[in-house]
Amino acid sequence: MPEGPEIRRAADKLVDAVEGKVLTHVWFAFPELKSYQPKLVGQTVTSIETRGKALLTHFSAGLTMYSHNQLYGLWQVTGAGERPETKRDLRVALETADKAILLYSASDIEVGATEEILQHPFLQRIGPDVLDVTLTESDISARLLDKKFRRKQLGGMLLDQAFLAGLGNYLRAEILWDTGLLPHHKPEDLTAQQLEYLAHALLTIPRLSYQTRGEADPNHHHGALFEFHVFSRDGLACHRCGSEIQKSSLSSRPFFYCPGCQH
């Protein structure tokens, strides 16, 4: 599943393509959304924002579209009227005079009055967006010690969108490696220094990924600055201590760690 940095980068491309522009054609695959097609033609895309792994597209008519890519959803930007050859199923097409943004394969899509969409159960459940520029290390430290989270094991908590929205499997592995921790630890059992390191990693690693990973490429996992130290590196040497990176399963997801320097 794409994580917060990937969704934010996708949103940036959509913003560049259609924000502030008038919609000339709107198409939805799902019958329950068809009635919104004529309502949105002639409206302007006023803004596009992310909330963790969800994306909100706001229109001048006071309507908002909620979408969640889940495992297979994918946004593409094309020229107006263009439809790339693909085996994916098109779900949404929003076109302006010169550009189109197309959502493929996603199934979690809703349109409605903005105030109603903002009450969507997912949006009500999630915690602060880890890429929110107003979020501070002090905020994260307080959240780690909040009664809702302080007794939870880090391995599960770092995938819980109620803790911090936008974290996911590769970020979990990299954050725990960076702080030298294993997933069984609970915030309440960490030292003050460990909590400080963890809060710093929870803020900086997702932001570094967003800023530097670049285009998704299945053959190349990192950009010039962001590098996986453990994720998908099982069998290779740890960059920090030289031990062999191990792969296991955690929360029904693959988990990568270094047995030499994570304790």
Side-chain angles (χ1 to χ4, degrees), residues 62 64 112-119:
T64 292
T114 299
E115 59 271 19
E116 295 176 2
I117 292 296
L118 293 180
Q119 299 303 310

Side-chain angles (χ1 to χ4, degrees), residues 55-200:
L55 190 143
L56 300 177
T57 305
H58 300 291
F59 307 101
S60 56
L63 296 172
T64 292
M65 181 177 72
Y66 165 96
S67 60
H68 195 300
N69 282 27
Q70 299 170 301
L71 279 174
Y72 304 111
L74 176 70
W75 281 100
Q76 287 196 10
V77 177
T78 69
E82 295 179 6
R83 298 291 184 270
E85 287 189 19
T86 176
K87 293 181 180 179
R88 291 175 174 270
D89 293 323
L90 183 62
R91 305 299 196 190
V92 177
L94 303 177
E95 293 192 24
T96 67
D98 62 334
K99 295 288 185 180
I101 59 173
L102 311 175
L103 177 57
Y104 290 91
S105 303
S107 58
D108 192 3
I109 305 166
E110 295 185 27
V111 179
T114 299
E115 59 271 19
E116 295 176 2
I117 292 296
L118 293 180
Q119 299 303 310
H120 189 284
F122 177 82
L123 299 179
Q124 292 299 301
R125 184 179 70 82
I126 61 175
D129 190 317
V130 73
L131 295 178
D132 183 347
V133 295
T134 67
L135 191 67
T136 67
E137 290 182 27
S138 295
D139 295 331
I140 294 179
S141 294
R143 201 157 182 83
L144 284 166
L145 295 177
D146 186 279
K147 62 181 181 180
K148 292 184 292 185
F149 304 111
R150 65 190 181 201
R151 293 186 177 90
K152 293 189 174 183
Q153 292 189 349
L154 295 176
M157 191 177 77
L158 296 191
L159 295 186
D160 183 358
Q161 299 303 290
F163 172 59
L164 286 175
L167 295 180
N169 200 37
Y170 82 78
L171 288 173
R172 173 180 68 171
E174 294 302 315
I175 288 166
L176 289 175
W177 179 86
D178 189 77
T179 53
L181 297 172
L182 288 171
H184 67 268
H185 288 294
K186 301 175 182 179
E188 67 176 3
D189 297 328
L190 300 180
T191 66
Q193 187 176 61
Q194 286 174 320
L195 283 168
E196 181 182 346
Y197 287 165
L198 181 56
H200 179 75

Side-chain angles (χ1 to χ4, degrees), residues 170 213 215 217-223 226-228 231-232:
Y170 82 78
R213 277 196 70 205
E215 297 295 326
D217 183 342
N219 299 312
H220 187 59
H221 285 298
H222 55 80
F226 187 88
E227 182 176 6
F228 286 153
F231 188 78
S232 290

Side-chain angles (χ1 to χ4, degrees), residues 173 230-234 245-248 254-258 262:
V230 285
F231 188 78
S232 290
R233 295 193 70 246
D234 49 307
I245 302 300
Q246 302 295 312
K247 179 181 180 181
S248 64
F255 179 70
F256 304 87
Y257 67 99
C258 174
Q262 285 179 259

